Amino acid sequence: MQMTETAKQHHQTNDNTSRIDHYLRSEDLFQHGRTIDIRHNGQTYTLRLTAANKLILTK
C-alpha cells in the first residue's frame, strides 16, 4: 500500500514530534469483511469493526 497524502504531510510537518512512517486506511483493511486477524510475536489478535463504526482489538 502506498502512503496517503495525509500521511506524507504528517510525516513532513511533524518532524519535531512523533514520526508516522505509514498509514493504513480502515476502508482498505475492511474491504472483505468486518474482522481481521493479526499475527504478532506468535500470538493472534483480532481487529473488529463494530456496528457503531468503532475498532476493537482483542487477543
Side-chain angles (χ1 to χ4, degrees), residues 5-31:
E5 284 303 313
T6 303
K8 288 178 187 175
Q9 290 169 3
H10 183 86
H11 199 281
Q12 292 168 357
T13 59
N14 286 337
D15 286 335
N16 294 332
T17 59
S18 64
R19 292 180 61 90
I20 296 176
D21 294 325
H22 188 73
Y23 273 98
L24 297 175
R25 294 176 7 150
S26 61
E27 294 85 4
D28 296 335
L29 292 173
F30 292 103
Q31 288 180 44

Side-chain angles (χ1 to χ4, degrees), residues 24-39 44-49 55-58:
L24 297 175
R25 294 176 7 150
S26 61
E27 294 85 4
D28 296 335
L29 292 173
F30 292 103
Q31 288 180 44
H32 305 289
R34 299 191 69 84
T35 61
I36 299 168
D37 286 338
I38 301 169
R39 295 287 294 169
T44 301
Y45 296 82
T46 300
L47 183 61
R48 181 168 59 95
L49 181 62
L55 296 175
I56 298 177
L57 181 65
T58 56

